């Protein structure tokens, strides 16, 4: 009987820790309509990626989406690596993202040659540039 209690307590502790880490993450964009942007959306570019921002539908619930196309990256390994790098850089610069904007990150071919540090610095510069721009509400 004692072993069951210990296992239950460990399971509950692990579940609570998992929910705590999930609360820290931003939600992702999944619908095609949410990825669509307009020409008036603020944009930031660098050699590794392009960022497009737009107002979120529900303030305080900002999201991000990744676009890594098969046309740019022929192999699935390359597409997965590009997504992994983008997620790492976004997580590192989480405090730079505004809560009232949705972000779409579009990977470029040069992302595969980027180091982790170079990408983090480039992401910080691009997000800083983007923060200075305002979105025109139509």
């Amino acid at each position: 009987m004692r072993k069951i209690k210990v296992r239950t307590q460990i399971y509950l502790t692990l579940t609570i820790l998992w929910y705590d880490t999930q609360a820290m993450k931003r939600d992702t964009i999944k619908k095609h309509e949410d990825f669509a942007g307009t020409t008036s959306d603020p944009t930031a570019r660098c050699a590794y990626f392009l960022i497009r921002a737009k107002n979120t539908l529900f303030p305080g619930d900002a999201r991000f989406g990744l676009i890594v196309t098969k046309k740019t990256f022929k192999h699935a390994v390359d597409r997965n690596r590009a997504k992994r790098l983008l997620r790492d850089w976004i997580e590192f610069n989480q405090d730079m993202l505004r809560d009232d904007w949705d972000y779409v990150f579009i990977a470029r071919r040069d992302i595969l040659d980027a180091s982790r540090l170079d990408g983090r610095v480039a992401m910080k510069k691009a997000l800083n540039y983007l923060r200075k721009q305002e979105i025109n509400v139509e």
Side-chain angles (χ1 to χ4, degrees), residues 4-67:
I4 293 173
K5 284 186 177 180
V6 172
R7 287 183 182 169
T8 305
Q9 289 173 349
I10 292 171
Y11 175 74
L12 290 174
T13 305
L14 291 175
T15 305
I16 291 169
L17 290 174
W18 181 79
Y19 280 119
D20 287 345
T21 58
Q22 294 300 315
M24 300 295 286
K25 294 185 178 181
R26 293 171 76 93
D27 199 13
T28 56
I29 298 173
K30 295 183 174 75
K31 293 184 180 178
H32 176 73
E33 299 86 31
D34 296 337
F35 277 101
T38 62
T39 57
S40 64
D41 291 342
T43 305
R45 294 178 176 89
C46 80
Y48 310 129
F49 53 83
L50 178 124
I51 306 174
R52 189 175 290 155
K54 64 179 189 175
N55 283 328
T56 185
L57 296 176
F58 305 103
D61 188 27
R63 305 168 297 169
F64 72 88
L66 305 176
I67 298 178

Side-chain angles (χ1 to χ4, degrees), residues 4 6 44 80 89 96-97 101 112 114 125-126 131:
I4 293 173
V6 172
N80 292 338
W89 300 343
M96 299 280 297
L97 300 175
W101 285 3
L112 297 178
K125 286 181 182 178
R131 284 180 73 112

